[in-house]
Amino acid sequence: MTLLFVLGIQNQIQKCQFLIVIIILKEVLGIINILSTSLQSKTATLGKARNVVNGVIQSFICLRSDDEFSKLWSTVVELAEKHNILLEIPHIGLF
């Protein structure tokens, strides 16, 4: 690996977008892991599978709430401060 390559990776990791994606992926993959483990169980049945799938769907629906977004954003801010990552929040407006 060249120094330029390493610096490029470091530059990408220190961006707000990277931090947000990592936090969301952690949450989503945690939920998907529960589903995956359940479906691979030797004692899995169609009834149990249906219940787990419905639970995963409900979990994703809950993640889309304002409260969950606030928790996610608090985590982003906390980690950004801890790792000295500048939160670049674009201004969206008419002027």
Side-chain angles (χ1 to χ4, degrees), residues 20-36 55-57 59-64 68 72:
I20 292 169
V21 167
I22 292 298
I23 292 168
I24 291 171
L25 274 175
K26 179 183 179 285
E27 192 74 34
V28 168
L29 292 177
I31 294 168
I32 295 297
N33 186 50
I34 294 168
L35 176 63
S36 175
V56 167
I57 291 169
S59 294
F60 285 137
I61 290 170
C62 289
L63 284 177
R64 294 182 59 154
E68 288 299 320
L72 177 124

Side-chain angles (χ1 to χ4, degrees), residues 50-93:
R50 183 192 69 216
N51 291 338
V52 174
V53 168
N54 287 336
V56 167
I57 291 169
Q58 288 303 313
S59 294
F60 285 137
I61 290 170
C62 289
L63 284 177
R64 294 182 59 154
S65 71
D66 289 339
D67 289 339
E68 288 299 320
F69 177 80
S70 294
K71 290 178 190 176
L72 177 124
W73 187 249
S74 295
T75 302
V76 168
V77 170
E78 180 183 319
L79 286 174
E81 289 174 358
K82 180 178 178 180
H83 298 286
N84 297 319
I85 298 173
L86 178 63
L87 291 179
E88 299 171 354
I89 303 167
H91 175 70
I92 299 174

